[in-house]
């Protein structure tokens, strides 16, 4: 998708610190981390937000979570971590390409702000 910052990061047209990539998924460090470890996990496929998902995307969305587990293992996040999809305006989504936040290295409160 043209003019999508995360598509450009996946294509390496914009630099980022990539921590994991495969055929379907790219994961990179958040530019403005909200925790000692803050990774964004995205599908290579441009999907703007949850409402745009189709049944064909179910495996892809599962891959996001499985990659989160793999990265959390690599980072040694033994005391847990938070996984978040901000979705739409009220959900606090700023970048219109689905991304799973993996945040760790500190304790998070609940409910989220
Ligand atoms: P959202 O609010 O959409 O859930 O989160 C978007 C996230 O993308 C934010 O945490 C923001 O810091 C991060 N971000 C925005 N632009 C860039 C960028 O160009 N590079 C990287 N690595 N992260 C970005
Ligand atoms: Zn995109």
């Amino acid at each position: 998708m043209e003019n999508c910052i995360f598509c450009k990061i996946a294509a390496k047209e914009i630099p980022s610190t990539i921590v994991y990539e495969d055929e379907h998924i790219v994961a990179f460090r958040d530019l403005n981390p909200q925790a000692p470890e803050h990774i964004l996990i995205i599908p290579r496929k441009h999907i703007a937000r949850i409402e745009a998902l189709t049944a064909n995307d179910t495996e892809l969305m599962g891959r996001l979570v499985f990659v989160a587990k793999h990265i959390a293992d690599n980072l040694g996040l033994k005391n847990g971590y938070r996984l978040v999809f901000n979705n739409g305006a009220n959900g606090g989504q700023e970048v219109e390409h689905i991304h799973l936040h993996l945040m760790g290295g500190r304790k998070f409160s609940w409910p989220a702000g």
Side-chain angles (χ1 to χ4, degrees), residues 35-38 75-82 102-108:
E37 305 286 5
H38 189 169
L75 293 174
L77 298 176
K78 295 191 191 325
N79 291 324
Y81 44 87
R82 182 157 289 181
L102 163 60
M103 292 180 284
R106 71 171 171 89
K107 188 154 174 58
F108 296 92

Side-chain angles (χ1 to χ4, degrees), residues 2-103:
E2 243 175 279
N3 293 327
C4 170
I5 195 163
F6 285 0
C7 282
K8 287 183 178 163
I9 284 175
K12 299 183 180 162
E13 290 164 15
I14 291 177
S16 71
T17 305
I18 291 176
V19 298
Y20 176 91
E21 63 180 320
D22 64 26
E23 187 187 344
H24 303 284
I25 307 290
V26 180
F28 51 95
R29 290 198 171 273
D30 196 293
L31 201 57
N32 183 24
Q34 302 301 312
E37 305 286 5
H38 189 169
I39 311 293
L40 301 172
I41 305 166
I42 67 168
R44 289 190 186 276
K45 176 183 176 186
H46 180 87
I47 304 170
R49 54 189 165 273
I50 301 288
E51 291 92 318
L53 288 172
T54 70
N56 290 335
D57 298 316
T58 54
E59 185 185 337
L60 186 60
M61 295 304 285
R63 286 178 186 275
L64 292 179
V65 178
F66 199 72
V67 167
K69 168 191 144 100
H70 172 76
I71 294 170
D73 281 350
N74 280 353
L75 293 174
L77 298 176
K78 295 191 191 325
N79 291 324
Y81 44 87
R82 182 157 289 181
L83 298 178
V84 175
F85 289 105
N86 293 325
N87 189 65
N90 277 4
Q93 183 179 9
E94 288 180 356
V95 178
E96 292 267 303
H97 179 134
I98 280 184
H99 48 281
L100 178 58
H101 292 260
L102 163 60
M103 292 180 284

